[in-house]
Structures are given as structure tokens and as C-alpha cells.
Coordinates of all heavy atoms in Angstrom, one line a residue:
M1 N 17.3 16.7 66.4 CA 16.0 16.4 66.0 C 15.8 16.9 64.6 O 16.2 18.0 64.3 CB 15.0 16.9 66.9 CG 13.6 16.6 66.6 SD 12.4 17.6 67.6 CE 13.3 17.7 69.1
L2 N 15.1 16.2 63.7 CA 14.8 16.6 62.4 C 13.9 17.9 62.4 O 12.9 18.0 63.1 CB 14.0 15.5 61.7 CG 13.7 15.8 60.2 CD1 14.9 15.6 59.3 CD2 12.6 14.8 59.7
E3 N 14.4 18.9 61.6 CA 13.6 20.1 61.5 C 12.5 19.9 60.4 O 12.9 19.6 59.2 CB 14.5 21.3 61.1 CG 13.8 22.6 60.9 CD 14.7 23.7 60.4 OE1 15.9 23.5 60.1 OE2 14.1 24.8 60.3
L4 N 11.3 20.0 60.8 CA 10.2 19.8 59.8 C 9.9 21.2 59.2 O 9.2 22.0 59.8 CB 8.9 19.3 60.6 CG 9.1 17.9 61.3 CD1 7.9 17.6 62.1 CD2 9.4 16.8 60.3
R5 N 10.5 21.4 58.1 CA 10.4 22.7 57.4 C 9.0 22.9 56.8 O 8.4 21.9 56.3 CB 11.5 22.9 56.4 CG 12.8 22.9 57.2 CD 14.0 23.2 56.3 NE 15.2 23.1 57.0 CZ 16.5 23.2 56.5 NH1 16.6 23.4 55.2 NH2 17.5 23.1 57.3
P6 N 8.5 24.1 56.8 CA 7.1 24.3 56.4 C 6.7 24.3 54.9 O 5.5 24.1 54.6 CB 6.7 25.6 57.1 CG 8.0 26.4 57.0 CD 9.1 25.3 57.3
T7 N 7.7 24.5 54.1 CA 7.4 24.6 52.6 C 8.5 24.0 51.8 O 9.6 23.7 52.3 CB 7.2 26.1 52.2 OG1 8.5 26.7 52.3 CG2 6.2 26.8 53.0
C8 N 8.2 23.8 50.5 CA 9.2 23.4 49.5 C 10.1 24.6 49.3 O 9.7 25.7 49.0 CB 8.5 23.0 48.2 SG 9.6 22.7 46.8
E9 N 11.4 24.3 49.4 CA 12.4 25.3 49.2 C 12.4 25.9 47.8 O 12.7 27.1 47.6 CB 13.8 24.7 49.5 CG 14.9 25.8 49.7 CD 16.1 25.1 50.2 OE1 16.1 24.4 51.2 OE2 17.2 25.4 49.6
N10 N 12.0 25.1 46.8 CA 12.0 25.6 45.4 C 10.7 26.3 45.0 O 10.8 27.4 44.5 CB 12.2 24.4 44.5 CG 12.3 24.8 43.0 OD1 13.1 25.7 42.7 ND2 11.5 24.3 42.1
C11 N 9.5 25.7 45.3 CA 8.3 26.3 44.8 C 7.4 26.9 45.9 O 6.4 27.5 45.7 CB 7.5 25.3 44.0 SG 6.7 24.0 45.0
N12 N 7.8 26.7 47.2 CA 7.2 27.3 48.4 C 5.8 26.6 48.6 O 5.0 27.2 49.4 CB 7.0 28.8 48.3 CG 7.1 29.4 49.6 OD1 7.8 28.9 50.5 ND2 6.5 30.6 49.8
K13 N 5.5 25.5 48.0 CA 4.3 24.7 48.4 C 4.3 24.4 49.8 O 5.3 23.9 50.4 CB 4.2 23.5 47.5 CG 3.0 22.6 47.8 CD 3.1 21.3 47.1 CE 1.8 20.4 47.5 NZ 1.8 19.2 46.8
P14 N 3.2 24.6 50.5 CA 3.1 24.2 51.9 C 3.4 22.7 52.1 O 2.8 21.9 51.4 CB 1.7 24.6 52.4 CG 1.3 25.6 51.4 CD 1.9 25.2 50.1
L15 N 4.2 22.3 53.1 CA 4.5 20.9 53.4 C 4.3 20.7 54.9 O 5.2 20.7 55.7 CB 5.9 20.5 53.0 CG 6.1 20.5 51.5 CD1 7.6 20.4 51.2 CD2 5.3 19.5 50.7
P16 N 3.0 20.6 55.3 CA 2.8 20.4 56.8 C 3.4 19.1 57.2 O 3.8 18.3 56.4 CB 1.2 20.4 56.8 CG 0.8 20.1 55.4 CD 1.8 20.6 54.5
P17 N 3.4 18.9 58.6 CA 4.1 17.7 59.1 C 3.6 16.4 58.6 O 4.3 15.4 58.6 CB 3.9 17.9 60.6 CG 3.6 19.3 60.9 CD 3.0 19.8 59.6
D18 N 2.3 16.4 58.2 CA 1.8 15.1 57.7 C 1.7 15.0 56.2 O 1.1 14.1 55.7 CB 0.3 14.9 58.3 CG -0.6 16.0 57.8 OD1 -0.2 17.0 57.2 OD2 -1.9 15.8 58.1
A19 N 2.5 15.9 55.5 CA 2.5 15.9 54.1 C 3.2 14.6 53.6 O 4.2 14.2 54.1 CB 3.3 17.1 53.5
L20 N 2.5 13.9 52.7 CA 3.1 12.6 52.1 C 4.1 12.9 51.0 O 4.8 12.0 50.6 CB 2.0 11.7 51.6 CG 1.0 11.2 52.7 CD1 -0.1 10.4 52.1 CD2 1.8 10.3 53.7
D21 N 4.1 14.1 50.5 CA 4.9 14.5 49.3 C 6.1 15.3 49.7 O 6.8 15.9 48.9 CB 4.1 15.2 48.2 CG 3.5 16.5 48.7 OD1 3.4 16.7 49.9 OD2 3.2 17.3 47.8
A22 N 6.4 15.4 51.0 CA 7.6 16.1 51.5 C 8.9 15.2 51.3 O 8.8 14.0 51.5 CB 7.5 16.5 52.9
R23 N 9.9 15.8 50.7 CA 11.2 15.0 50.5 C 12.3 15.8 51.2 O 12.3 17.0 51.2 CB 11.5 14.9 49.0 CG 10.4 14.2 48.2 CD 10.3 12.7 48.5 NE 9.3 12.0 47.7 CZ 8.1 11.8 48.1 NH1 7.7 12.2 49.3 NH2 7.2 11.2 47.4
I24 N 13.3 15.1 51.8 CA 14.4 15.7 52.5 C 15.7 15.1 52.1 O 15.8 13.9 51.7 CB 14.3 15.6 54.0 CG1 14.1 14.2 54.5 CG2 13.1 16.5 54.5 CD1 14.2 14.0 56.0
C25 N 16.8 15.9 52.2 CA 18.2 15.3 52.1 C 18.7 15.2 53.5 O 18.0 15.4 54.5 CB 19.0 16.3 51.2 SG 19.7 17.7 52.2
T26 N 19.9 14.7 53.6 CA 20.5 14.4 54.9 C 20.7 15.7 55.7 O 20.8 15.7 57.0 CB 21.8 13.7 54.9 OG1 22.8 14.5 54.4 CG2 21.7 12.4 54.1
Y27 N 20.7 16.9 55.0 CA 20.8 18.2 55.7 C 19.4 18.8 56.0 O 19.4 19.9 56.4 CB 21.7 19.1 54.9 CG 23.1 18.7 54.9 CD1 23.7 18.1 53.8 CD2 24.0 18.9 56.0 CE1 25.0 17.7 53.8 CE2 25.3 18.6 56.0 CZ 25.8 17.9 54.9 OH 27.1 17.6 54.9
E28 N 18.4 18.0 55.7 CA 17.0 18.5 56.0 C 16.5 19.5 55.0 O 15.5 20.2 55.2 CB 16.9 19.0 57.4 CG 17.3 18.0 58.5 CD 17.3 18.6 59.9 OE1 17.1 19.8 60.1 OE2 17.6 17.8 60.8
C29 N 17.3 19.7 53.9 CA 16.8 20.6 52.8 C 15.5 19.9 52.4 O 15.4 18.7 52.3 CB 17.7 20.6 51.6 SG 19.4 21.2 52.1
T30 N 14.4 20.7 52.2 CA 13.1 20.1 52.0 C 12.4 20.6 50.8 O 12.4 21.8 50.5 CB 12.2 20.5 53.3 OG1 12.9 20.1 54.5 CG2 10.8 20.0 53.2
F31 N 11.9 19.6 50.0 CA 11.3 19.9 48.7 C 10.0 19.1 48.6 O 9.8 18.1 49.3 CB 12.2 19.6 47.6 CG 13.5 20.4 47.6 CD1 14.6 19.9 48.3 CD2 13.6 21.7 47.1 CE1 15.8 20.6 48.4 CE2 14.7 22.4 47.2 CZ 15.9 21.9 47.8
C32 N 9.1 19.5 47.6 CA 8.0 18.7 47.4 C 8.3 17.6 46.3 O 9.3 17.8 45.6 CB 6.8 19.5 46.9 SG 7.0 20.2 45.2
A33 N 7.5 16.5 46.2 CA 7.8 15.4 45.4 C 7.9 15.9 43.9 O 8.7 15.4 43.1 CB 6.8 14.3 45.5
S34 N 7.0 16.8 43.5 CA 7.0 17.2 42.1 C 8.2 18.0 41.7 O 8.7 17.8 40.6 CB 5.7 17.9 41.7 OG 5.8 19.3 42.0
C35 N 8.8 18.8 42.6 CA 10.0 19.5 42.3 C 11.2 18.5 42.3 O 12.1 18.6 41.4 CB 10.3 20.6 43.3 SG 9.3 22.0 43.1
V36 N 11.2 17.5 43.2 CA 12.3 16.5 43.3 C 12.3 15.7 42.0 O 13.4 15.5 41.4 CB 12.1 15.6 44.5 CG1 13.0 14.4 44.4 CG2 12.4 16.4 45.8
D37 N 11.1 15.3 41.5 CA 11.0 14.5 40.3 C 11.2 15.3 39.0 O 11.9 14.9 38.1 CB 9.7 13.8 40.2 CG 9.5 12.8 41.4 OD1 10.5 12.4 42.0 OD2 8.3 12.4 41.7
G38 N 10.6 16.5 39.0 CA 10.6 17.3 37.7 C 11.8 18.2 37.5 O 12.4 18.3 36.5
V39 N 12.2 18.9 38.6 CA 13.2 19.9 38.4 C 14.5 19.5 39.0 O 15.6 19.7 38.4 CB 12.8 21.2 39.2 CG1 13.8 22.3 39.0 CG2 11.4 21.7 38.7
L40 N 14.5 18.8 40.1 CA 15.8 18.5 40.8 C 16.4 17.2 40.4 O 17.6 17.0 40.6 CB 15.5 18.4 42.3 CG 15.0 19.7 42.9 CD1 14.7 19.6 44.4 CD2 15.9 20.9 42.7
R41 N 15.6 16.3 39.8 CA 16.1 15.0 39.3 C 16.7 14.2 40.5 O 17.8 13.6 40.3 CB 17.0 15.2 38.1 CG 16.3 15.9 37.0 CD 17.3 16.5 36.0 NE 17.9 15.5 35.1 CZ 18.8 15.8 34.2 NH1 19.2 17.0 33.9 NH2 19.3 14.8 33.4
N42 N 16.1 14.3 41.6 CA 16.6 13.7 42.8 C 18.0 14.1 43.3 O 18.7 13.3 43.9 CB 16.5 12.2 42.7 CG 16.5 11.5 44.1 OD1 15.9 12.0 45.0 ND2 17.1 10.3 44.2
V43 N 18.4 15.3 42.9 CA 19.7 15.8 43.4 C 19.4 17.1 44.2 O 18.8 18.0 43.7 CB 20.6 16.1 42.2 CG1 21.9 16.9 42.7 CG2 21.0 14.9 41.4
C44 N 19.8 17.1 45.5 CA 19.6 18.3 46.3 C 20.5 19.4 45.7 O 21.7 19.2 45.5 CB 20.0 18.0 47.7 SG 19.9 19.5 48.7
P45 N 19.9 20.6 45.4 CA 20.7 21.7 44.8 C 21.7 22.3 45.8 O 22.6 23.0 45.4 CB 19.6 22.7 44.5 CG 18.5 22.4 45.4 CD 18.5 21.0 45.6
N46 N 21.6 22.0 47.1 CA 22.5 22.6 48.1 C 23.7 21.7 48.4 O 24.8 22.3 48.6 CB 21.7 22.9 49.4 CG 20.5 23.8 49.1 OD1 20.6 24.8 48.4 ND2 19.4 23.5 49.7
C47 N 23.5 20.4 48.4 CA 24.6 19.5 48.8 C 24.9 18.5 47.7 O 25.9 17.8 47.8 CB 24.3 18.9 50.1 SG 23.0 17.7 50.1
G48 N 24.0 18.3 46.8 CA 24.3 17.3 45.8 C 23.8 15.9 46.1 O 24.0 14.9 45.4
G49 N 23.3 15.7 47.4 CA 22.9 14.4 47.8 C 21.5 14.1 47.3 O 20.8 14.9 46.7
G50 N 21.0 12.9 47.6 CA 19.7 12.4 47.2 C 18.6 12.9 48.1 O 18.9 13.4 49.2
L51 N 17.4 12.7 47.7 CA 16.2 13.1 48.6 C 15.3 11.9 48.8 O 15.2 11.1 47.9 CB 15.5 14.3 47.9 CG 16.4 15.5 47.8 CD1 16.3 16.1 46.4 CD2 16.0 16.5 48.8
M52 N 14.7 11.8 50.0 CA 13.9 10.7 50.4 C 12.6 11.2 51.0 O 12.6 12.4 51.5 CB 14.6 9.8 51.4 CG 15.9 9.1 50.9 SD 15.5 7.8 49.7 CE 15.0 6.5 50.8
P53 N 11.6 10.4 51.1 CA 10.4 10.8 51.8 C 10.6 11.2 53.2 O 11.4 10.5 53.9 CB 9.4 9.6 51.7 CG 9.9 8.9 50.5 CD 11.4 9.1 50.4
R54 N 10.0 12.3 53.6 CA 10.2 12.7 55.0 C 9.2 12.0 55.9 O 8.0 11.9 55.7 CB 9.9 14.2 55.1 CG 10.1 14.8 56.5 CD 9.9 16.3 56.6 NE 8.4 16.6 56.5 CZ 7.9 17.9 56.3 NH1 8.8 18.9 56.3 NH2 6.7 18.0 56.2
P55 N 9.7 11.4 57.0 CA 8.8 10.6 57.9 C 7.8 11.6 58.6 O 8.1 12.8 58.7 CB 9.7 10.0 59.0 CG 11.1 10.1 58.4 CD 11.1 11.3 57.4
I56 N 6.7 11.1 59.0 CA 5.7 11.9 59.6 C 5.8 11.8 61.1 O 5.9 10.7 61.7 CB 4.3 11.4 59.2 CG1 4.1 11.7 57.7 CG2 3.2 12.1 60.0 CD1 2.8 11.2 57.1
R57 N 6.0 12.9 61.8 CA 6.1 12.9 63.2 C 4.7 12.7 63.8 O 3.7 13.4 63.4 CB 6.7 14.3 63.7 CG 6.9 14.4 65.2 CD 7.7 15.6 65.6 NE 9.1 15.5 65.0 CZ 9.9 16.5 64.8 NH1 9.6 17.7 65.3 NH2 11.1 16.3 64.2
P58 N 4.5 11.9 64.8 CA 3.2 11.6 65.3 C 2.5 12.9 65.8 O 3.1 13.7 66.5 CB 3.4 10.6 66.4 CG 4.7 9.9 66.0 CD 5.5 11.0 65.4
A59 N 1.2 13.0 65.5 CA 0.5 14.2 66.0 C 0.0 13.9 67.4 O -0.4 14.8 68.2 CB -0.7 14.4 65.1
R60 N -0.1 12.6 67.8 CA -0.6 12.3 69.2 C 0.5 11.7 70.0 O 1.5 11.2 69.5 CB -1.7 11.2 69.0 CG -2.9 11.8 68.4 CD -4.0 10.8 68.0 NE -4.5 10.1 69.2 CZ -5.3 9.1 69.2 NH1 -5.8 8.6 68.0 NH2 -5.7 8.5 70.3
N61 N 0.4 11.9 71.3 CA 1.4 11.5 72.3 C 1.3 10.0 72.5 O 0.8 9.5 73.6 CB 1.2 12.3 73.6 CG 2.4 12.0 74.5 OD1 3.3 11.3 74.2 ND2 2.3 12.6 75.7
W62 N 1.8 9.2 71.6 CA 1.7 7.7 71.7 C 2.6 7.3 72.8 O 2.4 6.3 73.5 CB 2.0 7.0 70.4 CG 1.1 7.4 69.3 CD1 1.4 8.1 68.2 CD2 -0.3 7.0 69.2 NE1 0.3 8.2 67.3 CE2 -0.7 7.5 67.9 CE3 -1.1 6.3 70.0 CZ2 -2.0 7.3 67.5 CZ3 -2.4 6.1 69.5 CH2 -2.9 6.6 68.3
K63 N 3.8 7.9 72.9 CA 4.8 7.4 73.9 C 5.8 8.5 74.2 O 6.4 9.1 73.3 CB 5.5 6.2 73.2 CG 6.3 5.4 74.1 CD 6.8 4.1 73.5 CE 7.6 3.2 74.5 NZ 8.2 2.1 73.9
G64 N 6.0 8.7 75.5 CA 7.1 9.5 76.0 C 7.2 10.9 75.6 O 8.3 11.5 75.6
D65 N 6.1 11.5 75.3 CA 6.0 12.9 74.9 C 6.7 13.2 73.6 O 7.1 14.4 73.4 CB 6.5 13.9 76.0 CG 5.6 13.9 77.2 OD1 4.4 13.7 77.1 OD2 6.1 14.1 78.4
N66 N 7.0 12.2 72.8 CA 7.6 12.4 71.5 C 6.6 12.6 70.4 O 6.2 11.6 69.8 CB 8.6 11.2 71.2 CG 9.6 11.0 72.3 OD1 10.4 12.0 72.6 ND2 9.7 9.8 72.8
F67 N 6.1 13.8 70.3 CA 5.1 14.1 69.3 C 5.1 15.5 69.0 O 5.8 16.4 69.6 CB 3.7 13.6 69.8 CG 3.1 14.5 70.9 CD1 1.9 15.1 70.7 CD2 3.7 14.6 72.1 CE1 1.3 15.9 71.6 CE2 3.1 15.5 73.1 CZ 1.9 16.1 72.9
L68 N 4.3 15.9 67.9 CA 4.2 17.2 67.4 C 3.9 18.3 68.5 O 4.4 19.4 68.5 CB 3.2 17.4 66.3 CG 3.6 17.1 64.9 CD1 2.4 17.3 64.0 CD2 4.7 18.1 64.5
G69 N 3.0 17.9 69.4 CA 2.6 18.9 70.5 C 3.8 19.3 71.3 O 3.8 20.4 71.8
N70 N 4.7 18.5 71.5 CA 5.9 18.8 72.3 C 7.1 19.3 71.4 O 7.9 20.1 71.8 CB 6.4 17.5 73.0 CG 6.9 17.8 74.4 OD1 6.5 18.7 75.0 ND2 7.8 16.9 74.8
D71 N 7.1 18.8 70.2 CA 8.2 19.2 69.2 C 7.6 19.6 67.9 O 7.5 18.9 66.9 CB 9.1 18.0 69.0 CG 9.8 17.5 70.3 OD1 10.4 18.3 71.0 OD2 9.7 16.3 70.6
P72 N 7.1 20.8 67.9 CA 6.3 21.3 66.7 C 7.2 21.5 65.5 O 8.4 21.6 65.6 CB 5.7 22.6 67.2 CG 6.6 23.1 68.3 CD 7.1 21.9 68.9
A73 N 6.5 21.6 64.3 CA 7.2 21.8 63.1 C 7.8 23.2 63.1 O 7.3 24.1 63.8 CB 6.2 21.7 61.9
S74 N 8.8 23.4 62.3 CA 9.4 24.8 62.1 C 8.4 25.7 61.3 O 7.6 25.2 60.5 CB 10.7 24.6 61.3 OG 11.1 25.9 60.9
T75 N 8.5 27.0 61.6 CA 7.7 27.9 60.8 C 8.6 28.8 60.0 O 8.2 29.8 59.4 CB 6.9 28.8 61.8 OG1 7.8 29.5 62.7 CG2 5.9 28.0 62.6
H76 N 9.9 28.5 60.0 CA 10.9 29.3 59.3 C 10.9 28.9 57.8 O 11.4 27.8 57.5 CB 12.3 29.2 59.9 CG 13.3 29.9 59.2 ND1 13.3 31.3 59.2 CD2 14.4 29.5 58.6 CE1 14.4 31.7 58.5 NE2 15.1 30.7 58.1
I77 N 10.4 29.7 56.9 CA 10.4 29.4 55.5 C 11.7 29.7 54.8 O 12.3 30.8 55.1 CB 9.3 30.2 54.8 CG1 7.9 29.7 55.3 CG2 9.4 30.1 53.3 CD1 6.7 30.6 54.8
R78 N 12.2 28.7 54.1 CA 13.4 28.9 53.3 C 13.0 28.8 51.8 O 13.0 27.7 51.3 CB 14.5 27.9 53.6 CG 15.0 28.0 55.0 CD 16.0 26.8 55.3 NE 16.7 26.9 56.6 CZ 16.1 26.7 57.8 NH1 14.8 26.3 57.9 NH2 16.8 26.8 58.9
H79 N 12.7 29.9 51.2 CA 12.3 29.8 49.8 C 13.4 30.3 48.9 O 13.7 31.5 48.8 CB 11.0 30.7 49.6 CG 10.5 30.6 48.2 ND1 9.8 31.6 47.6 CD2 10.5 29.6 47.3 CE1 9.4 31.2 46.4 NE2 9.9 30.0 46.2
R80 N 14.1 29.3 48.3 CA 15.3 29.6 47.5 C 15.2 28.9 46.2 O 15.7 27.8 46.0 CB 16.6 29.2 48.2 CG 16.8 29.9 49.6 CD 18.1 29.5 50.3 NE 17.9 28.1 50.9 CZ 18.7 27.6 51.8 NH1 19.8 28.3 52.2 NH2 18.5 26.4 52.3
P81 N 14.4 29.4 45.3 CA 14.2 28.7 44.0 C 15.5 28.4 43.3 O 16.4 29.3 43.3 CB 13.3 29.7 43.2 CG 12.7 30.6 44.2 CD 13.7 30.7 45.3
V82 N 15.6 27.2 42.7 CA 16.8 26.9 41.9 C 16.8 27.5 40.5 O 15.7 27.7 40.0 CB 17.0 25.3 41.9 CG1 17.1 24.7 43.2 CG2 15.9 24.7 41.0
D83 N 17.9 27.7 40.0 CA 18.1 28.0 38.6 C 18.0 26.7 37.8 O 18.9 25.9 37.9 CB 19.5 28.7 38.4 CG 19.8 29.0 36.9 OD1 19.3 28.3 36.0 OD2 20.5 30.0 36.7
A84 N 16.9 26.5 37.1 CA 16.6 25.2 36.5 C 17.7 24.8 35.5 O 18.1 23.6 35.5 CB 15.3 25.2 35.9
V85 N 18.2 25.7 34.8 CA 19.2 25.3 33.7 C 20.5 25.0 34.4 O 21.2 23.9 34.1 CB 19.4 26.5 32.8 CG1 20.6 26.2 31.8 CG2 18.1 26.8 32.0
A86 N 21.0 25.8 35.4 CA 22.2 25.5 36.1 C 22.1 24.2 36.8 O 23.0 23.4 36.9 CB 22.6 26.6 37.0
H87 N 20.9 23.9 37.4 CA 20.7 22.7 38.2 C 20.8 21.5 37.3 O 21.3 20.4 37.7 CB 19.5 22.7 39.1 CG 19.4 21.5 39.9 ND1 20.1 21.3 41.1 CD2 18.7 20.4 39.8 CE1 19.9 20.1 41.6 NE2 19.0 19.5 40.8
A88 N 20.2 21.6 36.2 CA 20.2 20.4 35.2 C 21.6 20.0 34.9 O 21.9 18.8 34.9 CB 19.4 20.8 34.0
A89 N 22.5 21.0 34.7 CA 23.9 20.6 34.4 C 24.6 20.0 35.7 O 25.3 19.0 35.5 CB 24.6 21.9 34.0
F90 N 24.3 20.5 36.8 CA 24.8 20.0 38.1 C 24.3 18.6 38.3 O 25.1 17.7 38.6 CB 24.4 20.9 39.2 CG 24.8 20.5 40.6 CD1 26.2 20.3 40.9 CD2 23.9 20.3 41.6 CE1 26.6 20.0 42.2 CE2 24.3 20.0 42.9 CZ 25.6 19.8 43.2
A91 N 23.0 18.3 38.1 CA 22.5 17.0 38.3 C 23.0 16.0 37.3 O 23.4 14.9 37.6 CB 21.0 17.0 38.2
A92 N 23.2 16.4 36.1 CA 23.7 15.6 35.0 C 25.1 15.1 35.3 O 25.5 14.0 35.1 CB 23.6 16.2 33.7
K93 N 25.9 16.1 35.8 CA 27.3 15.8 36.2 C 27.4 14.8 37.3 O 28.1 13.8 37.2 CB 28.0 17.1 36.6 CG 29.5 16.9 36.9 CD 30.1 18.3 37.2 CE 30.0 18.6 38.7 NZ 30.7 19.8 39.1
L94 N 26.6 15.0 38.3 CA 26.6 14.0 39.5 C 26.1 12.7 39.1 O 26.6 11.6 39.6 CB 25.8 14.6 40.6 CG 26.5 15.8 41.4 CD1 25.6 16.2 42.5 CD2 27.8 15.4 41.9
Q95 N 25.1 12.6 38.2 CA 24.5 11.3 37.9 C 25.4 10.5 37.0 O 25.1 9.3 36.8 CB 23.1 11.6 37.3 CG 22.1 11.9 38.4 CD 20.8 12.5 37.9 OE1 20.7 12.9 36.7 NE2 19.8 12.6 38.8
Q96 N 26.5 11.0 36.6 CA 27.5 10.2 35.9 C 28.4 9.5 36.8 O 29.2 8.7 36.4 CB 28.3 11.1 34.9 CG 27.4 11.5 33.7 CD 28.1 12.5 32.8 OE1 29.2 12.9 33.1 NE2 27.4 13.0 31.8
I97 N 28.4 9.9 38.1 CA 29.2 9.3 39.1 C 28.4 8.3 40.0 O 27.3 8.6 40.4 CB 29.8 10.4 40.0 CG1 30.6 11.5 39.1 CG2 30.7 9.9 41.1 CD1 30.9 12.8 39.9
A98 N 29.0 7.2 40.2 CA 28.3 6.2 41.0 C 28.0 6.7 42.4 O 28.8 7.5 43.0 CB 29.1 4.9 41.1
P99 N 26.8 6.4 42.9 CA 26.4 7.0 44.2 C 27.4 6.9 45.3 O 27.7 7.8 46.1 CB 25.1 6.2 44.6 CG 24.6 5.8 43.3 CD 25.8 5.5 42.4
Q100 N 28.1 5.7 45.4 CA 29.1 5.5 46.5 C 30.4 6.3 46.3 O 31.2 6.5 47.2 CB 29.4 4.0 46.7 CG 30.1 3.4 45.5 CD 29.2 2.8 44.4 OE1 28.1 3.3 44.3 NE2 29.7 1.9 43.7
D101 N 30.5 6.9 45.1 CA 31.7 7.7 44.8 C 31.5 9.2 44.8 O 32.3 10.0 44.6 CB 32.3 7.3 43.4 CG 32.8 5.9 43.4 OD1 33.3 5.4 44.4 OD2 32.8 5.3 42.3
R102 N 30.2 9.6 45.0 CA 29.9 11.0 45.0 C 30.3 11.8 46.2 O 30.4 11.2 47.3 CB 28.3 11.2 44.9 CG 27.8 10.9 43.5 CD 26.3 11.1 43.4 NE 25.8 10.4 42.2 CZ 24.6 10.0 42.1 NH1 23.7 10.4 43.0 NH2 24.2 9.4 41.0
Ligands
LIG1 ZN1 8.2 22.2 45.2
LIG2 ZN1 21.0 18.9 50.7

């Protein structure tokens, strides 16, 4: 199950389960939209993959107990700010490679 992390890993902005600006990579590394667009250039600093909007887990029990009340968001904060200069070089290198070849 997807881990709904509580904050942006770069700037530590709160990203509650219903945040519309939460972005994740396939490893669930979690960032806010402004860091993804401004600092990360859509490159995850941990794996080099892209980032996409995080789906919202339903707050209400619409069906089969699959909702936040049964599967709450994580409270474990991972605040690991990126080195912006080093990341810019990393992102620039990856962006020269076609997505299917990365
Ligand atoms: Zn952020
Ligand atoms: Zn990642």
C-alpha cells in the first residue's frame, strides 16, 4: 500500500492526505509541487525517476473499509533537503537521456 508521507522531503511543508500539491516517485519519495517544479525539475533526487501527483485516499468508507480511517497516513517525517547545485547537475544529466533509456 502507498505510504502517504506527511511532509515534503525537501522543504518539510505539510502534505496531508488530501493535499493537491503532493508529488511522488515510484518509491513513494514525496515532495511538494513547488519543489518539484522549482528545485527538482521533475527529477527525484533519490532515484532519478519522475514525480507525479499523489492520489487522494478516500476519507470516508465508500467501499470495503478501504479508506483513511482504516489505513491512515504515515506520521514518519523524512526531511532530507537536497543540495540544489548538485541536484541541478544531476537533473541536467538525466534530462539529456530519453525517458525510456534512463
Ligand atoms: Zn517542498
Ligand atoms: Zn525516488
Side-chain angles (χ1 to χ4, degrees):
M1 182 192 325
L2 182 73
E3 181 185 1
L4 300 171
R5 299 184 181 175
T7 67
C8 172
E9 192 172 309
N10 185 53
C11 74
N12 214 26
K13 176 186 179 178
L15 294 171
D18 62 350
L20 294 174
D21 63 339
R23 302 286 181 268
I24 55 172
C25 80
T26 69
Y27 290 101
E28 307 172 354
C29 306
T30 304
F31 300 92
C32 73
S34 86
C35 287
V36 168
D37 296 340
V39 181
L40 302 179
R41 299 161 77 181
N42 200 34
V43 173
C44 175
N46 303 315
C47 69
L51 295 135
M52 296 289 282
R54 184 178 71 188
I56 293 173
R57 183 169 299 163
R60 293 172 61 185
N61 188 3
W62 298 113
K63 196 170 182 185
D65 292 333
N66 299 307
F67 75 117
L68 269 180
N70 217 27
D71 300 309
S74 168
T75 58
H76 179 64
I77 292 174
R78 292 174 174 77
H79 185 207
R80 298 178 286 195
V82 300
D83 177 330
V85 173
H87 184 75
F90 179 57
K93 185 176 84 176
L94 285 182
Q95 284 165 346
Q96 288 170 3
I97 301 167
Q100 65 272 24
D101 295 331
R102 285 180 200 160

